Every structure is written in structure tokens, then in C-alpha cells.
Amino acid sequence: MAHAAANLKDQTESTEFAALLGESLQQQESFEGNVIEGRIIAMTSDFALIDVGLKSEGRVALREFTEPGQDPEIKVGDTVEVFVERMENRDGETVLSREKARREEVWIELEKSHKKGERVTGVIFGRVKGGFTVDLGGGVAFLPGSQVDIRPVRDVSPLMGTPQPFHILKMDRSRGNIVVSRRAVLEESREEVRSELLENLKEGQVLDGVVKNITDYGAFIDLGGVDGLLHVTDISWKRVNHPSEVLQIGENVKVQIIRYNSETQRISLGMKQLESDPWEAVATTYKSGDRHKGRVNNITDYGAFVELEPGIEGLVHVSEMSWVKKNVHPGKLVSTSQEVDVMVLDVDSEKRRISLGFKQCQDNPWTSFSETHKAGDELEGEVRNVTEFGLFVGLPGGIDGMVHLSDVSWDDQSEGVLKTFNKDDMIKVKVIEIEPDKERVALGIKQLTSDPFKGALEGVTKGSIVTCSITEVTDRGIEVSVNDNIKGFIKKVDLSRERSEQRPDRFAVGEKVDAKVLSVDKKSRKLSLSIKQREMDEDKEALDTFGSTESGASLGDILGAALQKQEGGDAAVVKAEPPKKKAASKKKAEDDGDSADKTKEVKAKSKKEPASAKAKKEGAADSDTKKPAAKSKKEDKA
């Protein structure tokens, strides 16, 4: 019985011991990976021996208790918190870490700050791929390069080693990963400053800013939370081709608010407005006709801009650059930065424009030429250019005169005559007209010789009767030659009074005809002629001289009566036998011949122009058919 009681007691004690041992082991297992308090029991030059209540002590390096380069501020007997990494190592010692303990403390604080959205303070102490490492008071965080600042930062060295505020973007305790941002803090501060700045912004206000970005049309200025545009035309009163000529990124500048739109929050800035406007005194300083010196600062296709003083420039149009060089690019006459003499032509202060001229500062070769030469002078010059309308010939003084196509030859007015001339040929010309105001000199080559057309026109006037030689027969009419030099043309409708006779094929080349001059075209040097008009004029003259057809008599009756009167009353001039009575049986051909002869005699005696052939035929026919009537009239007159 006693033996059974003893066994029962042993079993009970064994159970209690196992429970106590399990509880003790469970506590020991809970130590690992946690932060516990320990007491420093000894210190060496490198380590501190710490008792954490386990079966063995642990050693912790002294450098984990202080910042680099500083002495540790601990001593034997101090109580410190350490992190239990392992219960024991191969040497049977407990593995402890003060740094991990501090990190655990920091993690707890950082988690609280991250949940509340509060800022934390850290120090950038290292550079890694894609960013930087930040010490958050024991916890190491990663700072991406894009989160360092609002604008890209080329040099981060001024920020390293200096406490900076950060925002925690992400935390992962299992991986020990913390991502922070300095940019988020700056944006928050910027927004606060921006709101305050926008409330107080006014047009005309002068502010300090930093050049944030440069474009072709201007620069963006950071005013401390808000950006404004400084246009290239508002940088300076003088010409600025590109903002980079005056500004640099990161440069501190002083600007004035020109315009501010509170709805769109757009701000227009200006730098030149802080200086006096040089155009205010332009009207009194620069007057039309004044000469000044300037510097070419820009060249375009239409002229050159010349700076007269800082902020004041004028335009020299390409037409005002040279007296003689026309249609030349301004870049071939002047170069950038060249010092030049200019004359003020016009000033428009409202539009801020000054018109200048180069050539006005030089002698006018056109005026000089007009003073030394006159119309009719003969000169020799070089053919500068051959165009479809004439020749340009070089003259003294560097000017060019023009020989128009119509002044090259008396005979040939076509473009083909210009093919006989080549560039650089030396030719003789005569001055026809000088117009210095229009910068023109008219020249001529044909004027060196007399006009053959003028001599051939002697006696040939409008309305005169001329004898022509047929040179060509066409469907439209016939071409003729008068006095062997003058060309003329008789249209088809002017070949005869009778429509049936208006046929060009009735005529042959070389045949001579009499025609009336309708017009004389001295420019084209041609005559317009008409046979029809000549015939009609002859008939009209015969009627006016010998009678009228109103009484019912035909033209033949009038001519026959006139013939008999002339034969009987003027025997001293013409002795002709009185007309014999013609038999009624004579042939019509003989009657026509007699009538024609009588008509010729009348024309010769009256010393007038010949009547038309058709009038003669009609007169002869009428004299036969109406002979009794004609005889009765002759008896009455006798």
C-alpha cells in the first residue's frame, strides 16, 4: 500500500514537472523573434554582455548602441531592449541584436504614423539602384528617384545627411520594406503656398521666381507653388530669338504679373515691364531723314532688322538696300552683327515700327546718270540679261537700261530678233528716255539708224489712192506691197463693190492694183487698203461733178451727157469728132467699147480720179438703150 502511494506521488510530481517544463519551453519559444528587456552585466571594448533571463547570456556589439563616430552612452547595470534572434547558437549563446530591437520600435511608430498619414523625419544616407536609402530613426526606407522632388533633381548631394520630412507610401513588415516620398510633402506645402499666393495675386505685382522650364515661345516661372508663363516677347525690349539666350533653368528672376485669370488660374508674366520703355522717346530721337548707325541683328527674306539702340530696332526692306541690286536676298548684301549706316524713312510710334534705308545713305546712280546723260546720247554697254520682252544693258554707274523688243529692229518685231544677242555681248545703244524717279532708262538699237518706213510713207496718207503690187493671195484677202517697203492688206470684202467679184482668186501675185488707204498703223508698220472704197469714191465724185440721179437718169446717161458737153465746149483743149449716131443693130460689145472710150476722155479732160469699171459699163449700156432720151437732152442744151 505504501508502495502504491509512493508510485502515485511520483506520477503526480512527474506530471507537474512536465507541465512546468512545457510552460517554460513555450515561454522560451515566445522569446525568439521578439523584443525583450535585458541587463548589461559586463562590457568589453567591442561587446556588451546582456542577461535576458535565459539559460545563457547574449553579446551585442557596442556600435549598435550609438551613431557612427560616437562613443556608446551605456554602462554595466543599464537595462536595454534587445531583439532575440535565436535562443542559442553553436556556442550555446543567445543571439541578440540592439539594432533590430530599435527597428522593431521604429516599425511600431512608423505603422502608427502611416495609418494616421503623418509625416516622418529621416536622413538620406545612401544611393541604390533607382533611388536612395533613408534612415527613419532606425528603420531603413527606400526613396525612389522620382519622389525626391517635384522637378527632376540632377544633384542630390545637398539633400544627403540632412533631416528631411517624408511621407510613407507603403510598408511591408514581413519583407521589411518601407517606401517613402519627399515629393508628396513638397506638393502639400506647395498647395498650401499656392492657395495663399493665388488669393493675394494682383496684376502689376512684382514677384521673385525660378525658371522652371524653357520652350521656343517662352519660359515657365515657378512663383513658389504656382507657375506663370513669361512669353519671349516680354523678356526684353530688344529682340530675343530664343528664351535660352537670356534665361537658364534654375535661374532666379524678378517678374511682374501682366495678366491674371482667376477662373483658369493662368498667369502671364513680364520682365521688360520692370524697365523703362525705350519707345517713349522714339518720336523725338528718330526723325524722318536722320542718319544713324546701327547693327544688323536679324536677316529675313524681305529685309534686315537693324538695332539702333537696346530695345529699338527698325526694318530695312529689301527694296531699300541698294539702288542697282534688285531681287537679291538680303543675306547677300549684309551679314548679322554688321555695323551699317541707315537713314530713317518713317516712324510709327503706335505700331512700334521704324522704316530704314541703306541706299539713301549712298549716291543715287540714277540721278547721277540723268545729270551726265540725256536722250539721244549713244552709248556702248554689256548685255546683262536677255528676256522675252527685251534686253538689259549695263550702263555707267552700275545701273541697267532696257532695250524693249519693239526698239531692237525697224523691220522685225518678233521675239526671234532677240536670239541674235547673247549675255555679255557688247552692243551700241541710244538713250531714248531717262526717268530717275522710276529708276528707268529706255534704250534703243534701231534708233541708231533712220526709219526706212518713214521715207516710204511720203505721199501715203489715210484716204490717198496708191498703186500696190500683190505679194500673196490668201483666203482672207490679198497682201500687197506699196513703194516696195510698206506692207499692206486688202480684206476679201474690200476687193470689189460687187459681192460676186469679192474673190481673192481673181488676182495673181505680181499684179498691180489701185486701192484706197483706209488706215496707217505705224506701230505694226502696215497699211489697211480697199479697192471697194476706191470704186465707191469714184462713182460718188462723178455724180457730184456731172449731175444727179434724182431726175431718173442713170450714171451712164450723166457720163454720156458730160462727154458731149466737154467735146462741144472745149475744142481748144481737146479736138474730137462729134459722136456719130450708132446703128441699133451694132453689137453690144462695140457699144460697151465706145462708152468706155468716152468715159476715159471725160476723166482726162476733167482731171479727176478715174471712175470704176462697173460705172463705165453701166454708162455705155444705158447710152444705147436710152439714146433717144440722151439726144433730146443734148438738143435742149444746144
Side-chain angles (χ1 to χ4, degrees):
M1 190 70 183
H3 180 71
N7 289 336
L8 181 60
K9 184 178 179 180
D10 291 340
Q11 290 178 358
T12 302
E13 291 178 353
S14 298
T15 302
E16 291 177 356
F17 178 77
L20 292 173
L21 180 61
E23 183 179 353
S24 176
L25 291 176
Q26 186 176 2
Q27 291 178 356
Q28 291 182 0
E29 290 178 356
S30 63
F31 290 157
E32 192 170 314
N34 293 319
V35 178
I36 60 176
E37 289 187 351
R39 185 170 59 84
I40 300 175
I41 59 177
M43 292 182 63
T44 63
S45 59
D46 296 326
F47 296 94
L49 190 62
I50 300 175
D51 180 14
V52 293
L54 298 178
K55 64 178 182 178
S56 60
E57 295 80 13
R59 291 188 302 172
V60 179
L62 294 178
R63 59 181 174 78
E64 295 187 15
F65 291 92
T66 183
E67 298 294 333
Q70 299 180 2
D71 295 332
E73 297 179 356
I74 59 174
K75 60 184 183 296
V76 177
D78 289 348
T79 301
V80 296
E81 291 184 346
V82 292
F83 181 80
V84 180
E85 295 185 21
R86 283 188 296 171
M87 294 296 295
E88 61 179 356
N89 57 11
R90 61 182 181 179
D91 297 329
E93 296 178 349
T94 302
V95 181
L96 304 175
S97 173
R98 170 61 184 166
E99 183 177 344
K100 289 185 178 181
R102 291 174 56 192
R103 188 179 300 173
E104 286 294 322
E105 293 175 1
V106 172
W107 267 94
I108 295 173
E109 295 296 328
L110 292 177
E111 285 179 343
K112 293 179 181 179
S113 300
H114 179 49
K115 290 179 180 179
K116 294 180 180 180
E118 298 176 345
R119 300 176 183 177
V120 296
T121 303
V123 178
I124 301 174
F125 67 91
R127 184 188 295 270
V128 294
K129 183 178 180 181
F132 306 90
T133 53
V134 181
D135 182 8
L136 299 178
V140 179
F142 173 67
L143 174 64
S146 60
Q147 299 296 322
V148 176
D149 204 330
I150 297 175
R151 298 182 299 271
V153 180
R154 297 181 180 179
D155 186 11
V156 191
S157 55
L159 301 177
M160 298 185 70
T162 305
Q164 303 282 340
F166 296 93
H167 260 307
I168 299 175
L169 300 180
K170 184 174 65 174
M171 293 185 67
D172 189 347
R173 188 162 188 172
S174 61
R175 295 183 179 181
N177 186 13
I178 303 176
V179 180
V180 296
S181 171
R182 180 173 174 269
R183 177 177 178 175
V185 176
L186 296 178
E187 287 179 347
E188 288 181 0
S189 303
R190 179 190 179 95
E191 189 61 31
E192 295 175 0
V193 175
R194 175 187 175 89
S195 301
E196 182 179 356
L197 181 63
L198 291 176
E199 291 178 359
N200 300 323
L201 277 182
K202 296 180 180 179
E203 293 185 0
Q205 187 176 358
V206 180
L207 301 173
D208 292 325
V210 180
V211 180
K212 180 178 179 181
N213 190 23
I214 294 178
T215 64
D216 293 336
Y217 53 86
F220 288 95
I221 309 298
D222 184 2
L223 302 177
V226 62
D227 293 343
L229 174 62
L230 175 62
H231 197 268
V232 62
T233 57
D234 293 317
I235 295 177
S236 175
W237 290 109
K238 66 179 182 179
R239 175 180 292 273
V240 178
N241 295 321
H242 195 275
S244 59
E245 298 176 0
V246 182
L247 303 174
Q248 294 180 354
I249 295 178
E251 180 182 355
N252 294 321
V253 294
K254 188 178 291 293
V255 293
Q256 182 179 17
I257 298 177
I258 302 174
R259 290 179 297 276
Y260 170 57
N261 190 331
S262 58
E263 296 180 358
T264 60
Q265 296 185 351
R266 290 184 178 180
I267 305 173
S268 297
L269 306 175
M271 289 178 60
K272 71 179 185 181
Q273 286 75 10
L274 300 176
E275 304 172 356
S276 60
D277 187 357
W279 281 90
E280 294 177 354
V282 164
T284 57
T285 306
Y286 302 96
K287 297 182 179 179
S288 180
D290 292 350
R291 290 193 178 189
H292 296 273
K293 286 187 175 293
R295 181 177 60 85
V296 179
N297 60 2
N298 190 27
I299 298 175
T300 64
D301 293 338
Y302 52 85
F305 288 91
V306 177
E307 185 180 30
L308 301 175
E309 63 177 77
I312 302 296
E313 66 178 18
L315 172 65
V316 181
H317 194 265
V318 64
S319 62
E320 304 296 341
M321 288 189 168
S322 175
W323 291 109
V324 295
K325 295 181 179 179
K326 307 295 184 181
N327 300 323
V328 179
H329 192 275
K332 296 182 179 180
L333 302 176
V334 293
S335 58
T336 306
S337 302
Q338 179 182 346
E339 297 288 337
V340 293
D341 292 329
V342 293
M343 178 178 287
V344 179
L345 304 180
D346 184 41
V347 179
D348 191 341
S349 301
E350 295 182 359
K351 295 183 179 180
R352 296 177 178 264
R353 293 177 180 177
I354 300 180
S355 298
L356 305 174
F358 286 158
K359 67 182 184 181
Q360 287 76 9
C361 298
Q362 306 168 1
D363 293 335
N364 188 346
W366 299 96
T367 304
S368 301
F369 184 85
S370 64
E371 294 174 353
T372 56
H373 298 81
K374 63 182 182 302
D377 289 354
E378 295 184 6
L379 302 172
E380 186 175 5
E382 179 183 355
V383 177
R384 297 282 180 82
N385 193 17
V386 180
T387 66
E388 60 182 6
F389 52 84
L391 308 172
F392 286 93
V393 181
L395 300 176
I399 64 176
D400 291 346
M402 191 186 78
V403 181
H404 194 267
L405 176 63
S406 60
D407 293 319
V408 176
S409 173
W410 292 111
D411 301 325
D412 192 355
Q413 302 290 328
S414 64
E415 296 182 7
V417 72
L418 298 176
K419 296 181 180 180
T420 58
F421 299 91
N422 297 313
K423 191 176 180 181
D424 300 330
D425 287 351
M426 295 298 295
I427 61 174
K428 287 186 177 182
V429 293
K430 177 178 281 190
V431 179
I432 300 175
E433 185 180 10
I434 303 175
E435 296 179 288
D437 296 339
K438 297 182 180 180
E439 298 182 2
R440 294 178 184 175
V441 176
L443 306 174
I445 298 176
K446 71 180 185 181
Q447 286 77 5
L448 295 172
T449 59
S450 59
D451 185 0
F453 184 74
K454 185 176 181 181
L457 277 179
E458 292 183 0
V460 179
T461 58
K462 182 178 180 181
S464 62
I465 305 298
V466 295
T467 302
C468 314
S469 297
I470 300 175
T471 58
E472 185 178 357
V473 178
T474 64
D475 294 338
R476 298 183 300 106
I478 59 175
E479 293 185 3
V480 298
S481 175
V482 179
N483 294 340
D484 297 331
N485 289 322
I486 308 175
K487 294 182 180 180
F489 186 75
I490 303 176
K491 297 180 181 179
K492 183 178 179 180
V493 295
D494 291 324
L495 292 177
S496 177
R497 188 172 59 178
E498 294 295 329
R499 184 179 297 273
S500 60
E501 300 297 327
Q502 295 175 355
R503 304 192 315 273
D505 56 5
R506 294 175 49 241
F507 301 89
V509 176
E511 184 180 348
K512 294 185 180 295
V513 294
D514 293 337
K516 182 178 180 179
V517 179
L518 299 181
S519 64
V520 180
D521 190 348
K522 295 183 178 180
K523 186 175 181 180
S524 62
R525 309 172 74 81
K526 287 186 178 181
L527 303 177
S528 179
L529 305 167
S530 173
I531 299 175
K532 172 183 176 181
Q533 191 63 42
R534 189 212 71 195
E535 293 175 348
M536 294 175 64
D537 290 348
E538 290 175 353
D539 292 348
K540 182 179 179 182
E541 186 174 357
L543 289 174
D544 294 341
T545 304
F546 301 110
S548 173
T549 58
E550 293 180 357
S551 61
S554 65
L555 181 59
D557 297 337
I558 295 172
L559 292 177
L563 178 60
Q564 291 179 7
K565 183 177 180 180
Q566 287 293 97
E567 289 176 348
D570 197 6
V573 179
V574 179
K575 292 183 179 181
E577 293 182 2
K580 297 179 180 180
K581 203 180 252 187
K582 296 179 177 61
S585 61
K586 284 187 177 181
K587 296 181 180 178
K588 194 175 183 299
E590 292 177 358
D591 294 342
D592 293 342
D594 292 340
S595 298
D597 293 338
K598 291 176 182 179
T599 305
K600 290 181 180 179
E601 290 178 6
V602 172
K603 290 192 292 181
K605 292 176 182 179
S606 61
K607 297 182 181 179
K608 300 294 183 178
E609 297 294 338
S612 66
K614 189 172 188 309
K616 296 175 187 178
K617 294 178 181 179
E618 290 177 355
D622 291 340
S623 64
D624 288 340
T625 56
K626 299 182 180 180
K627 186 176 292 185
K631 184 177 180 181
S632 175
K633 290 181 181 180
K634 285 190 285 183
E635 290 176 354
D636 294 339
K637 289 181 181 180

